[in-house]
Structure formats: C-alpha cells, structure tokens
C-alpha cells in the first residue's frame, strides 16, 4: 500500500522558489521577509497541503502558531460553525485556535485578552462585542467576526448582513400570512442590525413593529421572559422573530407554558443556525449566517494580514440565508 | 468612597516572610524555589487575594500564566460549570484558562495538544478521554477531569462517582414505580461507569437491564436514535436514563415524535446538570456531578502540583446529587 508522500519544508522551498531558511522565517512569522516572498511561501504551503511539525516550529522559533478567539458565552452555540471554518482555513498554514469565553472571565478584574497575549498568540479573532478596556497591542493582527457596535482601528471585519437576514425572516412570516409579528432583541451590534431589518420589513408592509427588549443578554432566559411579556402585552401575536436561537428556545418554552401549539398557533424563527436549532427537539426555522464561510473568510483575512502586516483593513460582508424547518406555518385560529 | 487597597507583590513577600524576588520566582513557576517557600507564597497570594499583573509577569518571566483545558465537544455543555469552578480557583493565583475542543481539531492530522504546548501553557486539564497519541511532556502538570478509560502516568484525577450517580438516578425511577427502565450509553470511561451503576441498581431490584448503545458519541442525535431503537425493541418501556443531558434531549424529541407525553407516559433522566438541562424548555431531571466543585478541586490539585512538582499523584472523587425537575413522574397508563 503506497501513501502519497507527505510534503516537507524542502518541497515548500522548491515550489516557492526560496531557501528552506526563508520558509522557516515565514513559519515563525518573522518580520524580515518581503510581502511577495511571504505570499509565495504561503501559496506553496496551501498548494502542497504542507503541515509543519508544531513542536519543531515552536522549538525553532518560539512562535506559538496559535490564534486566540474570544467568544461571548460557551452556552450560545452560534460560534461552533465559525470555529470550524476558521480551523479549516488555518490548518493548512499550520495554525491552531484556542478559545476564551468572555462571560466566564468577566468576574476577573482584568483585561479578557491578557491570557491570550501572555501565551503569545499570533493573532486575535474577536467574536464578541469589543470594549474600551481591551488593551490590544498595536502590532497584533485582529479580525472582528460579526457586526459589532464598537470599531477596532486597523482591524479587518468579517460579518453577515444581519439587516438583510432579519428582513428575509420577517418577509417569510409575512408571506405565510402573519400580520402580528413580535421581535425579541438584546444588546450589541448584531442585535441592533437584526432589529433594524425586522423594522424595515414591517414598515414596508405597513405594519406596526412590536419590539421587546428583555435585557442585553440574548439567552434562553431572556427569550422566555421576553415572550411572556410580548404575549401579555400583545395577546394576539401569531409569530415571533427571536434575536437568536437561544432566545427562540426560550420562546418555545413560553409558548408551551401557555399551551400554544408551535407552529399551529404560534410561529417562531431563530437566528444563527446554531447546532441547537438543528436538533430533533427544536427543528427551528432560523437564519443561517453561513458562519462556517465567515470562519473561512476570517482565516483568509488573518493569513493575508500575516503575509502583509501593512495592508489596508478590509470589510467582508456575506449574505445570509433562511432555513425553513418545523416552527413556522400559516397563522392558525387565534 | 474608599476602596480596599489592592495587594501588591510587596504585601505578598511580607506576609510570606520572603523577598520580593522570591515571589517573582514563584509567579514565574521557577524550579529554583523550595516546596515550603513556594507553599508559603501561594498561601499569602490566596490570603491577600493578590492578583499579579499578567502583562508584567509575562514580560518578566516568559511565563504564560495560562492553563490549557482540552474538552470533547463545544456542543455538549457539561464543561461550562467545570470551567467556572476552575477559573474561580485559579484566578487568585493569577492563572487563566484557554480551551481547545477535541472534535473540532480531530481532522488535523496531529496531536490535539500541540497547540497548547506551543503556547507554553503551564499545566493541562484533560476533560476528555486521553489517547495514546497525546504526547504530553514529562514535566507538564496534568489533571484529568472526569472518569476516563485510559490512565495518564503521574496525573492527578478529579472525578465524580459516576457509578453512584447512575445508581441514584435509577433508584429514583424505581421509587416512582417504574420497572421497565432503559439506559442509553456511549463510549468512554464516564459512560462505562454510568452504565455499571444503572445495571447494579436494576440487578438489586431483580429487574432486567435494557441497555442501548447507539454509538460512541453521546449527542442529541445518538440519544434520539437510541430512544427510537429502545422503544421499538421494548415498546412498554416507561422510563429512560440517558447517558448525559444531550442524549436526554434526543430522547425527548423521540418521545414527542411518538406522541408520548413526558413525564405522563415516559420519564426521562439526563446526566451532568448542564446549562441545557436547566432551560425552561427542558426542565430536565438530571444528575449533578457538581462540576463547579470538580473544577475547584482541579484548580487546587494544579496549584499544589505547581508548588510541589514532585508530590505523589492524587485521586479525588466527589459524590453526585440528583436534581428532580419536570421530566420524571410515576408511570402512567402504558
């Protein structure tokens, strides 16, 4: 049985037309390499599917070969596909990811990035709302994943068009015949844009927007409380667009508590196409932000930034897509 | 408004009766400190709630002050409370955590620990089943969290008594009057021990064990498929002990598909007391492994190991506790 021979650093050097030691410099992310030669090496690495030995690279260069990803909260599973796309995109270049949860670190009275900076990550992905207190070193490559209220100077941004996604979800409910559609919102840039998309679609249909803001968190708990409030204030609501899948799960719980059949008496739409939405138990209609593709774009932005630290920041925006499952239908007898 | 003055490195040195530079050595985890003096410094740090500046410690010593935690799968939320307890226990000593997901890294043809080792984590927590391929350096402090089939020489182990927990859950169902109780199992040490606990309780009650093994994964998907198989093979089953909360969620979905009311016609018990089990939608009866306390014990083991690298490995076992919510009741009319 013959297996394809695994590419070596010599193969990469030959393909890129450079010396082996220059390949080493690129692997160690040395600043002493021209952008053009760095690009040639990265392309050869991808073409040959070369995988450097991490241990060797680490011993040789003191480079961590690791990208730190800061997420909000492990219990909101929207980030899982993002990490998958990111991991796929980075692994060819021999980079790995380590994740830190913002919520978990919040009670420590220090910068949530300190941990990553002290482990010498080579780049940061912020899949969370940035804050003033984040002390990001000037030379650290940063990509912001998702729509965020605060801008980081010099950072690339890769995000889904949350306004378009929420508009599409609302139009789906309108096309089913719903007129009394409520929206549950939370804090942060993505929530704000989703709310605007919902409001645009309702306005375009000549309908009143019913927005409930049960708090800044976008969790099952706030979704549950928000739905209670919505159905108390507007008892004839027939559909809900939740700010994300966790909130939609809470909406399903509140509906069950009031003996409302989903989707027969109440339609519920989530947002994020998280693993939760795909479960047999939820089978939730949701908006797919194509988080795996966003992860791949984040990886591409990081690799090109490492190849050329001086390039202008980019902003990439992807169009989302509605996934219809079992929680939406035409309005019933209410 | 006066705030309590924040402890400095000088306060720690004074309290421990050592020099400031010796405190620095301990913070950098230098081997040139006697176990007794290291212990005195760690106690002073805890007593004063001293928080070293990470950036300063990192610059001074090249120490990452970070503990790497390897988990199985981000979508199984059992680890969230473990991380909380671990973070609480480590933060007083100025240590942080970074997490890596085993499932996500699995398609990369290299050791899942490489990333952490190259970022120079100071210690490892394995909250996953270890494998032969893991290349753990001989001098790396390791704590295994949870019951695992493979042993790591020299590692401390902190785990819940999974046999006792499954026995307790089965006895809860027996005490409600159930006799036809099925169990859904998966791969790994924890699954094995939970299965044994279930079998012990069934045997003690003179009943037949009905074990379904839908695969090595313990996910919503395997829980769903396992329940389909269980209810097809043993249609008069009135209760299910799932291998964990994710599998229990799948069991709830399969029950709904067969129009079985939970708990009226089918009782379901999970395991792990994960955030999923506590949601309004699930309100799942489950076994609390006290994962936050396990995290605290893991932190204590790590700190004492850092203080005395030569001490004998310890094995800590905690007793679990049943949490009754809304998915269990006396058997109905089936």
């Amino acid at each position: 049985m013959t297996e394809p021979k695994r590419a070596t650093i010599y193969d990469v050097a030959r393909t890129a037309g450079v010396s082996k030691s220059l390949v080493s410099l690129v692997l160690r992310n040395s600043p002493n390499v021209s952008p053009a030669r760095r690009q040639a090496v990265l392309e050869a690495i991808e073409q040959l599917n070369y995988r450097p030995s991490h241990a060797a690279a680490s011993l040789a260069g003191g480079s961590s070969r690791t990208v730190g990803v800061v997420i909000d909260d492990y219990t909101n599973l929207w980030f899982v596909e993002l990490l998958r796309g990111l991991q796929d995109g980075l692994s060819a270049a021999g980079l790995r990811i380590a994740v830190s949860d913002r919520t978990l670190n919040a009670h420590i009275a220090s910068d949530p990035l300190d941990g990553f900076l002290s482990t010498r990550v080579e780049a940061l992905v912020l899949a969370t709302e940035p804050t003033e207190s984040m002390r990001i070193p000037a030379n650290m490559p940063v990509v912001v994943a998702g729509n965020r209220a605060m801008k980081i100077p010099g950072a690339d941004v890769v995000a889904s068009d949350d306004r378009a996604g929420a508009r599409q979800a609302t139009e789906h409910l309108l096309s089913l015949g719903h007129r009394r559609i409520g929206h549950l919102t939370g804090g942060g840039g993505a929530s704000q844009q989703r709310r605007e998309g919902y409001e645009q679609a309702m306005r375009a249909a000549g309908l009143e927007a019913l927005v409930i803001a049960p708090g800044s968190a976008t969790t099952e708990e706030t979704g549950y409380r928000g739905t209670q409030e919505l159905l108390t204030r507007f008892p004839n609501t027939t559909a809900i667009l939740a700010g994300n899948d966790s909130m939609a799960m809470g909406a399903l719980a509140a509906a069950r508590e009031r003996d409302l059949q989903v989707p027969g008496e109440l339609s519920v739409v989530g947002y994020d196409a998280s693993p939760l939405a795909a479960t047999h138990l939820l089978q939730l209609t949701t908006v797919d932000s194509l988080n795996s593709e966003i992860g791949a774009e984040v990886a591409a932005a990081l690799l090109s930034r490492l190849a050329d630290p001086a390039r202008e920041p980019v902003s990439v925006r992807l169009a989302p897509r509605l996934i219809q499952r079992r929680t939406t239908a035409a309005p019933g007898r209410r």
Side-chain angles (χ1 to χ4, degrees), chain A:
Chain A
M1 205 174 84
T2 56
E3 279 185 45
K5 196 166 149 286
R6 188 172 158 151
T8 67
I9 193 165
Y10 297 97
D11 301 324
V12 174
R14 202 175 312 116
T15 304
V18 302
S19 68
K20 169 182 164 287
S21 51
L22 194 127
V23 177
S24 292
L25 286 176
V26 172
L27 290 174
R28 278 187 263 152
N29 194 23
S30 160
N32 304 321
V33 182
S34 73
R37 297 217 285 176
R38 192 186 298 270
Q39 192 58 42
V41 170
L42 291 176
E43 279 167 11
I45 284 171
E46 191 161 353
Q47 184 189 327
L48 298 171
N49 196 21
Y50 169 66
R51 285 170 185 163
S53 154
H54 295 285
S58 175
L59 285 171
S63 154
S64 74
R65 311 301 300 145
T66 299
V67 173
V69 183
V70 185
I71 63 168
D72 260 321
D73 176 2
Y74 285 117
T75 65
N76 178 352
L77 295 172
W78 80 271
F79 66 90
V80 173
E81 285 301 311
L82 177 87
L83 292 186
R84 204 174 302 278
L86 185 60
Q87 184 73 278
D88 283 342
L90 295 179
S91 63
L95 288 161
R96 307 187 143 269
I97 56 182
V99 178
S100 192
D101 166 309
R102 183 69 165 295
T103 305
L104 197 68
N105 285 307
H107 67 291
I108 302 183
S110 65
D111 189 315
L113 299 184
D114 279 353
F116 279 143
L117 300 185
S118 59
T119 54
R120 297 195 190 74
V121 295
E122 308 209 355
L124 283 174
V125 176
L126 298 183
T128 183
E129 194 62 50
T131 60
E132 295 291 348
S133 71
M134 286 184 175
R135 296 187 303 262
I136 301 170
N139 57 346
M140 172 69 70
V142 176
V143 181
V144 175
N147 288 302
R148 308 298 169 188
M150 203 184 109
K151 302 298 167 211
I152 302 274
D156 299 315
V157 178
V158 180
S160 176
D161 188 340
D162 283 312
R163 268 189 214 90
R167 220 163 37 222
Q168 207 177 331
T170 310
E171 285 161 2
H172 165 61
L173 293 169
L174 290 166
S175 75
L176 288 168
H178 293 278
R179 291 296 170 266
R180 294 178 304 276
I181 304 167
H183 177 57
L184 310 175
T185 190
S191 291
Q192 177 60 30
Q193 297 198 6
R194 290 171 191 181
R195 174 186 180 150
E196 289 167 13
Y198 157 80
E199 288 172 340
Q200 284 168 8
M202 292 298 274
R203 200 162 43 234
L207 295 169
E208 189 194 358
L210 312 173
V211 177
I212 304 286
S216 69
T218 51
T219 59
E220 207 249 356
E221 173 64 28
T222 54
Y224 174 78
R225 284 195 280 108
T227 303
Q228 300 277 34
E229 184 184 337
L230 178 71
L231 296 177
T232 301
R233 285 175 53 191
F234 309 103
N236 54 4
T237 302
T238 64
I240 295 177
L241 171 62
N244 66 10
D245 292 338
S246 299
M247 293 187 93
M249 189 181 185
L252 295 177
R256 191 185 56 188
E257 210 166 283
R258 294 184 176 228
D259 272 327
L260 292 176
Q261 294 294 315
V262 174
E265 296 170 286
L266 184 72
S267 286
V268 176
V269 182
Y271 206 113
D272 285 339
S274 67
L276 191 64
T279 56
H280 294 278
L281 190 65
L282 266 62
Q283 284 290 300
L284 188 66
T285 295
T286 186
V287 179
D288 188 353
S289 303
L290 307 181
N291 285 320
S292 170
E293 280 88 335
I294 288 184
E297 291 288 341
V298 169
L302 283 177
L303 292 177
S304 88
R305 167 70 61 198
L306 289 169
D308 178 9
R311 76 151 165 72
E312 287 295 301
V314 294
S315 178
V316 179
R317 174 154 305 210
L318 279 78
R321 185 178 59 196
L322 188 77
I323 299 179
Q324 292 183 47
R325 293 204 181 95
R326 302 205 191 148
T327 56
T328 47
R333 311 149 305 280
R334 289 188 66 220

